[in-house]
Amino acid sequence: MQPPDEFGLIKRLFLPLTGGDPAALALADDVALIDGPAGRQWAITNDAIIAGVHFLPDDPADLIARKLVRVTLSDLAAKGATPKFLLLSAGFPKDSRLEWLDLFASGLKSDCGQFKVLLIGGDTVATPGPLTLSLTAIGEITRNAALLRSAARVGDNIWVSGSLGDSALGLRVAKGEVPDLTPQHADYLLERYRLPRPRLALGRALLGLAHAAMDVSDGLLADLGHICDCSHVGAEIQAASLPRSPSAAALFAMGGYDEVAILAGGGDDYELLFTAAPAADEAIDRLSVSLDLPLSRIGRITDVPGVTLLDPGGAAVRVARRGYQHFGVLAP
Ligand code: ADP
Ligand code: MG
């Protein structure tokens, strides 16, 4: 028997503990939603990051803190929620230096200011293992307004913000694997890996406009698979329409890269993937202009189960990688 992947594990181990409470969204969405006062809901999410998995052990301490804040707020952005509070659990290696810890706190402070969130609790421990951090973010949103993974409809167009693959390429830059790239492109890709930008303004603007939404953290195809599963639909994606930055294009032009695998399955993008009725196309194009953020129409929701990637001739494209798998089992 094939071992369960990360999501199989979550279903098997943790889903029974939700007691079927609707707040949990069946452990299949980016957040939990708890009813609050005055027609509001609290959107709550937790993310963990570990040295050597989500960032490089030698990355600057302030940037590690800021990446943690940003990947966590990205889940709130995906629902259209407004971040309010954070709780931090920090497992610092026993031999951490005070100077390093101060720099970590300065990064945290800077992003708490930028995103207008307050740190209201947490836990601090020493670990014999690598630096391990977990952040809970609490945001608020109008009751029943959140953009859910389960709300895609057949006939919707599929959109993605910004550009894909930059972060996966930035990791290669960080590892010194692409020495020939110009410093300008290298810096851009590196920043995309180290400092993702939670698309909070976009998420809020999509309320009432989009149907389903989620943030792309594991890889476009794997994550779109979650929207399809939750919404009981399928999807077709045009490989040629996947948005790439000028820096990614410059790197691809050097040759030796499986472009589609990186764009469609690279991971760590923290862009928003959303679906909307074709009638919303013009409003979304206008939103792209007003937010100064590219929004690309990359495919459509169908009634055929599964996520299919198509080449310009309409033939299915096979990809080596559909997304990051923590337990090493590739998504179907
Ligand atoms: P995301 O990538 O958006 O952060 P994940 O893929 O990590 O989401 O998780 C999918 C779902 O499973 C979420 O609803 C999350 O809250 C839930 N989940 C993941 N790990 C656990 C856990 N250890 N206990 C309870 N719920 C979990
Ligand atoms: Mg998410």
Side-chain angles (χ1 to χ4, degrees), residues 66-77:
R66 295 173 72 193
K67 180 163 187 180
L68 176 64
V69 171
R70 288 155 181 248
V71 302
T72 309
L73 294 186
S74 178
D75 283 318
L76 297 183

Side-chain angles (χ1 to χ4, degrees), residues 303-326:
D303 58 4
V304 182
V307 177
T308 311
L309 193 62
L310 299 173
D311 70 14
V317 181
R318 285 182 62 84
V319 272
R321 174 189 157 116
R322 297 174 84 86
Y324 188 78
Q325 287 280 308
H326 281 275

